[in-house]
């Protein structure tokens, strides 16, 4: 008679729990990425945006008004994020936080929330089991479904973030220091009115391509490594052990550390594949945004329309990029310069965000039934 074990459902929540809104899960992941970036930046003594590419740098003004940062003194706790904020509040009052720090912080969190929430909704529509409020999706979504959902979510994010990108590329901290704008709120309102819709969406094609393709690979890689690769490893590892030591049928519960390891690997692979696309496109985008900024400045001085310059902006950006690539030995050398360093810096916060994203998805899901993987004369039980 085959050996059996009692199947126990995963604890931590009964099947009667009311499913929570996917917005909570998306917000948790977005917040975790921002928090992870802050903690890692503090640990490595470097700016936050070096670890996680924030759309709007909310520490730009605090750094600009800090004399130690401007004097390029040796790093100390006074140059950490809390230290910079304490100095800013001490000299400019508590209103500095809601006027200069809170607006870009809210903008970054909102964009991240939209990305994760959109992804969950779209994945559920493309892969029916993913729409169920269970702790573990079975069968797991294929790479194609996760890639499509991620690409669509990235496109939505790029559309919502277009005004933020337009504001960030035109931002000059000197305008704040000279009193031209009293707050980020005033700067955003004035600048958006000044550049109009055409200015906001100039260069949007590059942003759409970068976010859509990058997020597709990001979520596709994450889901694939987290589940398909994990399941394949379990069948290979425990199947090999069974063939060596046992002949009767048994139920196996995998070691508790295996799944967290694959979750970390999933975050790492997601970050690397996303950067493989977004890093080179960001190089081109930076050149293009610089050109757009020059066009805006010239048209403002000449009191002339910039429509003609906008029409040829992509063509001239390509020519400028080609010149820069030629100087360093080709497109590959130029596009991927600094790729390894930037990717390694981004991995910790990205992996942390994805882990919290996954934990939140499971926390607010019903326990459901244990997943049993049948392999030869054994059952691998995931409870």
């Amino acid at each position: 008679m085959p050996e059996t074990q009692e199947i126990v459902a995963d604890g931590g929540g009964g099947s009667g729990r009311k499913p929570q809104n996917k917005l909570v899960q998306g917000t948790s992941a977005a917040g975790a990425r921002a928090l992870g970036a802050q903690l890692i930046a503090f640990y490595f003594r470097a700016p936050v945006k070096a670890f996680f590419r924030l759309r709007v740098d909310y520490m730009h003004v605090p750094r600009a008004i800090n004399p130690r940062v401007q004097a390029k003194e040796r790093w100390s706790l006074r140059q950490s994020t809390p230290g910079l904020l304490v100095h800013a509040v001490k000299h400019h009052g508590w209103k500095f936080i809601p006027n200069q720090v809170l607006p870009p912080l809210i903008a970054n969190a909102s964009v991240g929330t939209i990305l994760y929430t959109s992804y969950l909704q779209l994945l559920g529509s493309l892969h029916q089991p993913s729409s169920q409020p269970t702790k573990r999706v079975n069968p797991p979504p294929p790479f194609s479904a996760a890639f499509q959902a991620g690409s669509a979510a990235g496109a939505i994010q790029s559309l919502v973030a277009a005004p933020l990108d337009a504001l960030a590329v035109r931002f000059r901290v000197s305008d704040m220091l000279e009193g031209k704008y009293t707050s980020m709120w005033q700067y955003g309102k004035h600048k958006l009115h000044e550049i109009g819709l055409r200015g906001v969406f100039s260069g949007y094609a590059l942003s759409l391509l970068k976010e859509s393709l990058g997020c597709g690979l990001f979520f596709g890689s994450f889901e694939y490594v987290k589940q398909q690769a994990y399941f394949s490893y379990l069948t290979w590892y425990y199947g090999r052990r069974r063939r060596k030591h046992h002949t009767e049928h048994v139920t196996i519960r995998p070691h508790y550390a295996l799944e967290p390891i694959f979750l970390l690997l999933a975050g790492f692979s997601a970050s690397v594949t996303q950067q493989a696309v977004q890093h080179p496109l960001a190089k081109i985008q930076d050149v293009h945004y610089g050109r757009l900024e020059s066009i805006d400045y010239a048209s403002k001085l000449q009191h002339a329309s910039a429509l003609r310059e906008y029409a040829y902006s992509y063509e001239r950006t390509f020519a400028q990029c080609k010149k820069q690539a030629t100087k360093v030995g080709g497109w590959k050398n130029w596009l991927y310069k600094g790729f390894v360093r930037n990717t390694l810096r981004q991995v910790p916060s990205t992996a942390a965000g994805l882990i919290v994203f996954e934990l939140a998805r499971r926390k607010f899901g019903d326990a459901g039934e244990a997943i049993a993987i049948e392999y030869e004369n054994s059952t691998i039980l995931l409870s």
Side-chain angles (χ1 to χ4, degrees):
M1 186 174 182
E3 179 184 343
T4 60
Q5 294 182 5
E6 181 184 0
I7 298 178
V8 183
D10 185 20
S15 59
R17 178 184 296 177
K18 183 178 179 181
Q20 300 293 320
N21 195 292
K22 290 185 174 64
L23 180 61
V24 178
Q25 303 168 30
T27 305
S28 300
R33 294 188 75 175
L35 179 60
Q38 284 286 351
L39 294 175
I40 294 165
F42 179 81
Y43 181 76
F44 285 96
R45 306 178 180 183
V48 174
K49 66 179 183 179
F51 292 87
F52 178 54
R53 187 178 176 84
L54 301 175
R55 281 195 132 80
V56 185
D57 184 5
Y58 56 88
M59 292 302 296
H60 201 154
V61 177
R63 282 197 297 272
I65 63 175
N66 190 285
R68 292 183 176 84
V69 174
Q70 298 307 309
K72 298 181 179 180
E73 294 181 3
R74 186 177 180 180
W75 193 92
S76 66
L77 286 176
R78 293 182 178 181
Q79 296 181 39
S80 65
T81 297
L84 294 175
L85 292 178
V86 167
H87 176 270
V89 170
K90 182 179 179 180
H91 289 82
H92 299 275
W94 283 103
K95 66 179 180 179
F96 182 89
I97 301 297
N99 285 344
Q100 309 295 352
V101 178
L102 197 57
L105 190 61
I106 292 175
N108 288 321
S110 299
V111 171
T113 300
I114 289 171
L115 172 66
Y116 285 101
T117 306
S118 300
Y119 169 72
L120 287 174
Q121 296 287 351
L122 291 164
L123 182 63
S125 64
L126 293 172
H127 181 252
Q128 196 278 333
S130 296
S131 65
Q132 302 302 315
T134 55
K135 291 183 178 293
R136 193 190 300 276
V137 178
N138 186 45
F143 177 85
S144 58
F147 177 81
Q148 292 174 46
S151 294
I156 294 172
Q157 177 190 236
S158 69
L159 180 64
V160 174
L164 299 179
D165 292 338
L167 292 174
V169 74
R170 293 169 172 85
F171 178 73
R172 289 291 176 270
V173 71
S174 58
D175 292 339
M176 293 292 179
L177 299 180
E178 294 169 2
K180 186 176 181 180
Y181 304 108
T182 59
S183 69
M184 285 289 191
W185 303 107
Q186 184 186 21
Y187 163 75
K189 182 179 179 180
H190 177 269
K191 187 61 67 172
L192 289 176
H193 177 75
E194 179 182 303
I195 63 178
L197 280 177
R198 182 174 291 276
V200 167
F201 288 98
S202 295
Y204 177 68
L206 274 174
S207 180
L208 176 63
L209 177 63
K210 185 183 77 169
E211 298 297 338
S212 180
L213 188 55
C215 290
L217 291 172
F218 180 78
F219 286 110
S221 301
F222 176 68
E223 296 289 356
Y224 181 83
V225 175
K226 182 192 71 174
Q227 297 190 88
Q228 279 92 334
Y230 176 52
F231 292 172
S232 297
Y233 177 80
L234 291 179
T235 56
W236 171 79
Y237 179 72
Y238 287 107
R240 184 185 62 174
R241 292 184 62 186
R242 288 286 301 127
R243 286 191 294 270
K244 288 182 178 180
H245 305 291
H246 300 281
T247 57
E248 71 278 6
H249 184 280
V250 296
T251 298
I252 301 171
R253 295 177 183 272
H255 193 279
Y256 67 89
L258 283 177
E259 190 168 17
I261 290 174
F262 271 85
L263 202 54
L264 286 171
L265 290 175
F268 177 83
S269 63
S271 181
V272 171
T273 52
Q274 183 187 45
Q275 278 293 97
V277 171
Q278 291 196 344
H279 184 85
L281 288 176
K283 282 283 189 72
I284 299 174
Q285 193 176 38
D286 288 343
V287 174
H288 189 66
Y289 278 157
R291 177 168 293 279
L292 295 179
E293 185 181 8
S294 299
I295 292 174
D296 291 341
Y297 183 73
S299 63
K300 186 177 180 180
L301 289 179
Q302 300 171 7
H303 303 285
S305 175
L307 295 180
R308 181 179 176 81
E309 292 297 324
Y310 280 143
Y312 293 97
S313 60
Y314 281 112
E315 181 181 344
R316 291 170 181 172
T317 294
F318 177 79
Q320 186 174 347
C321 291
K322 187 177 181 180
K323 289 181 180 179
Q324 294 189 25
T326 302
K327 291 180 181 179
V328 295
W331 284 99
K332 183 179 179 181
N333 292 339
W334 180 66
L335 290 174
Y336 284 94
K337 182 180 180 181
F339 170 76
V340 175
R341 181 181 67 254
N342 291 336
T343 300
L344 291 178
R345 286 177 173 179
Q346 183 178 328
V347 163
S349 60
T350 301
L354 284 173
I355 289 172
V356 174
F357 167 70
E358 180 64 21
L359 293 178
R361 184 159 63 176
R362 296 187 183 188
K363 177 179 175 58
F364 295 110
D366 294 335
E369 298 180 355
I371 296 177
I373 303 175
E374 300 292 341
Y375 184 76
E376 295 182 354
N377 62 338
S378 61
T379 300
I380 302 174
L381 184 65
L382 303 176
S383 59

